[in-house]
Coordinates of all heavy atoms in Angstrom, one line a residue:
S27 N 14.8 13.8 -24.0 CA 15.8 14.2 -23.1 C 16.1 13.2 -22.0 O 17.2 13.1 -21.5 CB 15.5 15.5 -22.3 OG 14.4 15.2 -21.4
F29 N 15.0 13.2 -19.3 CA 15.3 13.9 -18.0 C 13.8 14.2 -17.5 O 13.3 15.3 -17.8 CB 16.0 15.3 -18.3 CG 16.4 15.9 -17.0 CD1 17.4 15.4 -16.2 CD2 15.7 17.0 -16.6 CE1 17.8 16.0 -15.1 CE2 16.1 17.6 -15.4 CZ 17.2 17.2 -14.7
V31 N 11.0 15.5 -15.2 CA 10.8 16.5 -14.1 C 9.3 16.4 -13.6 O 8.4 16.2 -14.5 CB 11.2 18.0 -14.6 CG1 11.0 18.9 -13.5 CG2 12.5 17.8 -15.2
N47 N 7.0 17.2 -17.4 CA 7.3 17.8 -18.6 C 6.8 16.9 -19.8 O 6.8 15.7 -19.6 CB 8.9 18.0 -18.7 CG 9.8 16.9 -18.2 OD1 9.3 16.0 -17.6 ND2 11.0 17.0 -18.7
E49 N 7.4 16.2 -23.9 CA 8.2 16.5 -25.0 C 7.5 16.1 -26.3 O 6.6 15.4 -26.2 CB 9.6 15.9 -24.8 CG 10.3 16.5 -23.6 CD 11.6 15.9 -23.3 OE1 11.9 14.7 -23.9 OE2 12.4 16.4 -22.4
C58 N 7.6 22.4 -19.9 CA 8.1 22.0 -18.6 C 7.1 21.5 -17.6 O 5.9 21.8 -17.7 CB 9.0 23.1 -18.0 SG 10.5 23.6 -18.8
A59 N 7.6 20.7 -16.6 CA 6.7 20.3 -15.5 C 6.0 21.4 -14.9 O 4.8 21.3 -14.6 CB 7.4 19.5 -14.6
E60 N 6.6 22.5 -14.5 CA 6.0 23.6 -13.9 C 4.9 24.2 -14.7 O 3.8 24.5 -14.2 CB 7.2 24.8 -13.6 CG 8.2 24.4 -12.7 CD 9.3 23.8 -13.5 OE1 9.2 23.1 -14.4 OE2 10.5 24.0 -13.0
T89 N 16.4 23.6 -10.8 CA 15.6 24.8 -10.6 C 15.0 25.1 -11.9 O 15.3 24.7 -12.9 CB 16.7 25.9 -10.3 OG1 17.8 25.8 -11.2 CG2 17.1 25.9 -8.9
P90 N 13.8 25.8 -11.7 CA 13.0 26.2 -12.9 C 13.7 27.0 -13.9 O 14.6 27.9 -13.6 CB 11.8 27.0 -12.2 CG 11.8 26.6 -10.8 CD 13.2 26.3 -10.4
C91 N 13.5 26.7 -15.2 CA 14.1 27.5 -16.2 C 13.6 28.9 -16.2 O 12.6 29.2 -15.5 CB 13.8 26.9 -17.6 SG 12.1 27.2 -18.2
Ligands
LIG201 N1 12.5 20.9 -17.6 C1 11.5 21.0 -16.7 O1 10.4 20.4 -16.9 N2 11.5 21.8 -15.6 C2 12.7 22.3 -15.3 O2 12.7 23.1 -14.2 C3 14.0 22.4 -16.0 C4 13.7 21.5 -17.3 C5 12.4 20.0 -18.7 C6 12.4 20.5 -20.1 C7 12.9 19.3 -20.9 O3 11.7 18.4 -21.1 C8 13.9 18.5 -20.0 O4 13.5 19.1 -18.7 C9 15.2 18.7 -20.3 O5 15.5 20.2 -20.3

Side-chain angles (χ1 to χ4, degrees):
S27 74
F29 189 78
V31 181
N47 45 342
E49 301 177 347
C58 291
E60 297 90 325
T89 45
C91 76

